[in-house]
Amino acid sequence: MVKEELNPFEIAKQQIERVGKHLKLDPGLLEILKSPQRELSVNFPVRMDDGKIRVFNGYRVQFNGALGPYKGGIRYHPQVNLDEVRALSCWMTWKTSLMGLPYGGSKGGVICDPKKMSKAELERMTRRYTTAISTIIGPEQDIPAPDVYTDGQTMAWIMDTYSMNRGYSVPGVVTGKPLAIGGSKGRDEATSRGVVYTTREAAKKIKLNLKGATVAIMGYGNVGWFAAKIFHDEYGCKIVAVSDSKGGIYSEKGFDPKEVKDHKEKTGSVVGFPGTNKISNEALLELKVDVLVPAALENVITAENASRINAKIVAEGANGPTTPAADEIMHKKGIVDIPDILANGGGVTVSYFEWVQNLQHFFWTLDEVRQKLDQIITTAFNNVWEVREQEKVDMRMAAYIVAVKRVVEAYRLRGIFP
Ligand code: NAD
């Protein structure tokens, strides 16, 4: 068997080539769509709590800005690397386009192990990284947001650092901020709400009743936890399995996601929650459930395990959880796989709302945010579904067709400078 490509940037380029072929795009244009426009690599010193100096490596990649300012999160993780950041910035480009937002795509990351750093070290590292990339970020230029192991506090430090250097407060430089300094209501739950809304639409299409439907979620961070809560509290789903980096838990009867969250806060993991059995992350993915939500890292559904995926709907909360070979296998099995750029597009959509509110200095209610999000993501879902039916392609291809076409149209209208 040919070894499957697992480099996320190679996968991202394959996905563009696939849609390029389908749309019969000009080879020059295809080359533009596969190339990151700007890549900044920074090495910067941070004084650690023991007084020693450590040099950290970080990146910011601005993939494509044809539709507007670049937009994309910042990840802190030991496995961050340039190709991963490139891939994530590429996927942001298609995601913002698919959601119909006036943004391009970007992403950033720092190679570090935040779990082994104190809060003070994280603050100093964040402020120095912000300074290192400050020439290319800004509310009109490139607007970061949280990603894996960064949160509202990280965004608050970035906003403050950027503002200190400008001499006035610039809340619109980042999104995902705490409410007290210009965050939007509903941002914390937004990605998960998008996951749930797109699952709701997919369930309607395949006539699956969500009330009582079984749900398994890999990853119990921001995206996984809120998805569990909304599925359970608002749609009456039965959450039967969740997991984190230490392993997973399973109960046929289901459990209350809030109690599991409290357990994780107390013990550091979902594992050991009373009344559940321990299962591995691998086994969780293969459970016979109605809805499976991968909400941790990339490449978890591959050619190796795709044939054993037993869910009716897979809603990709994480970015890049499925490889192209796995896509094909799941499509053949009749699984509705809601691709990442659609399923988790709720996060960037409410980030956009936050940015708009910051620029207007006028804030919306939680109901307004939820309603507008529902409208945008349901429209995006229906656009994708229509293309899927018309062109007889899988959901990811359909989503890419919609997203890439919009960027191509921007190039047609703007032209190639000079
Ligand atoms: P997070 O840091 O809050 O949570 C990550 C979770 O994944 C944690 O529970 C962690 O324990 C778990 N995890 C880490 N390694 C794992 C492993 N090997 N196996 C199983 N679980 C593991 O991050 P998040 O914000 O919830 O992001 C999760 C995914 O969603 C990422 O792919 C991210 O890019 C994507 N995403 C996030 C947002 C957002 O708004 N936060 C938006 C769009 C996409």
Side-chain angles (χ1 to χ4, degrees):
M1 206 170 107
V2 186
K3 199 169 176 303
E4 197 180 6
E5 176 63 67
L6 292 181
N7 175 321
F9 188 45
E10 293 305 321
I11 291 177
K13 285 192 288 191
Q14 279 176 17
Q15 288 163 337
I16 304 170
E17 265 164 24
R18 209 171 142 231
V19 69
K21 212 162 137 192
H22 186 90
L23 294 174
K24 300 190 177 57
L25 290 184
D26 170 81
L29 189 56
L30 197 60
E31 216 37 52
I32 296 179
L33 300 182
K34 279 167 35 188
S35 313
Q37 289 177 338
R38 184 184 282 144
E39 304 181 340
L40 181 61
S41 168
V42 293
N43 305 309
F44 55 92
V46 176
R47 194 175 299 282
M48 307 305 280
D49 290 345
D50 62 7
K52 291 194 181 126
I53 288 169
R54 220 185 110 186
V55 174
F56 286 85
N57 320 107
Y59 306 99
R60 185 76 186 166
V61 175
Q62 297 175 335
F63 196 83
N64 189 294
L67 290 174
Y70 303 98
K71 185 91 192 76
I74 290 175
R75 177 174 292 198
Y76 290 170
H77 197 273
Q79 262 118 43
V80 162
N81 60 73
L82 186 51
D83 269 351
E84 182 187 66
V85 182
R86 284 173 172 146
L88 291 163
S89 69
C90 175
W91 292 326
M92 280 306 295
T93 305
W94 313 130
K95 195 182 300 179
T96 54
S97 174
L98 182 60
M99 294 296 129
L101 309 177
Y103 285 142
S106 59
K107 203 80 179 193
V110 178
I111 306 170
C112 63
D113 192 349
K115 284 186 186 166
K116 295 195 180 131
M117 294 168 69
S118 70
K119 194 170 174 189
E121 287 172 338
L122 280 171
E123 176 173 354
R124 289 195 292 275
M125 184 187 81
T126 301
R127 289 185 182 279
R128 189 64 197 242
Y129 169 66
T130 305
T131 306
I133 64 166
S134 65
T135 49
I136 64 164
I137 61 169
E140 316 268 292
Q141 215 178 340
D142 183 358
I143 306 119
D147 190 68
V148 176
Y149 297 140
T150 55
D151 56 15
Q153 177 62 75
T154 324
M155 296 306 116
W157 291 327
I158 297 178
M159 181 274 217
D160 185 69
T161 305
Y162 187 88
S163 301
M164 286 299 124
N165 288 311
R166 289 290 176 284
Y168 52 92
S169 272
V170 190
V173 66
V174 280
T175 58
K177 298 180 294 295
L179 282 179
I181 53 165
S184 174
K185 293 210 166 82
R187 174 62 185 88
D188 50 358
E189 56 163 41
T191 304
S192 316
R193 197 162 276 287
V195 168
V196 177
Y197 288 161
T198 51
T199 303
R200 178 196 66 200
E201 295 307 307
K204 278 186 209 161
K205 300 285 185 196
I206 64 165
K207 303 201 171 17
L208 168 74
N209 185 358
L210 276 187
K211 197 163 169 38
T214 50
V215 179
I217 301 177
M218 177 193 195
Y220 213 55
N222 184 277
V223 178
W225 142 246
F226 274 111
K229 177 179 178 337
I230 300 167
F231 272 126
H232 177 269
D233 296 0
E234 296 178 29
Y235 290 84
C237 299
K238 193 158 83 168
I239 313 298
V240 294
V242 299
S243 70
D244 57 33
S245 57
K246 301 203 174 79
I249 53 170
Y250 175 74
S251 159
E252 205 185 329
K253 293 206 301 273
F255 42 75
D256 181 344
K258 172 74 172 68
E259 288 173 13
V260 176
K261 181 173 185 270
D262 293 343
H263 176 82
K264 182 170 163 72
E265 266 161 22
K266 254 191 260 143
T267 65
S269 174
V270 298
V271 177
F273 179 69
T276 62
N277 294 324
K278 187 173 180 195
I279 54 163
S280 66
N281 270 291
E282 293 73 25
L284 179 145
L285 291 169
E286 296 172 16
L287 286 172
K288 187 164 169 37
V289 285
D290 294 310
V291 180
L292 170 68
V293 182
L297 299 171
E298 298 88 81
N299 291 336
V300 294
I301 305 178
T302 65
E304 197 279 313
N305 64 352
S307 61
R308 297 192 300 276
I309 302 296
N310 257 314
K312 295 190 179 112
I313 297 173
V314 175
E316 298 184 355
N319 287 309
T322 313
T323 64
D327 266 348
E328 239 181 276
I329 297 169
M330 288 204 291
H331 183 59
K332 280 196 190 125
K333 279 189 79 176
I335 296 171
V336 178
D337 179 19
I338 312 169
D340 46 8
I341 61 169
L342 176 59
N344 71 37
V348 71
T349 302
V350 177
S351 269
Y352 164 64
F353 297 164
E354 181 176 333
W355 180 73
V356 168
Q357 293 170 77
N358 289 157
L359 299 182
Q360 295 180 335
H361 305 281
F362 182 69
F363 287 84
W364 308 349
T365 64
L366 182 57
D367 274 351
E368 273 177 280
V369 169
R370 286 178 176 173
Q371 244 173 40
K372 289 186 167 85
L373 168 62
D374 198 348
Q375 194 185 3
I376 286 184
I377 205 153
T378 301
T379 303
F381 180 93
N382 287 324
N383 290 341
V384 171
W385 194 269
E386 209 179 295
V387 172
R388 174 190 187 267
E389 300 286 277
Q390 272 169 8
E391 314 237 349
K392 307 266 174 285
V393 291
D394 61 68
M395 284 290 275
R396 189 175 324 272
M397 180 66 146
Y400 269 72
I401 291 173
V402 177
V404 170
K405 267 189 174 171
R406 191 162 169 243
V407 176
V408 167
E409 175 68 355
Y411 273 100
R412 194 185 65 75
L413 292 165
R414 290 178 62 158
I416 304 292
F417 179 82

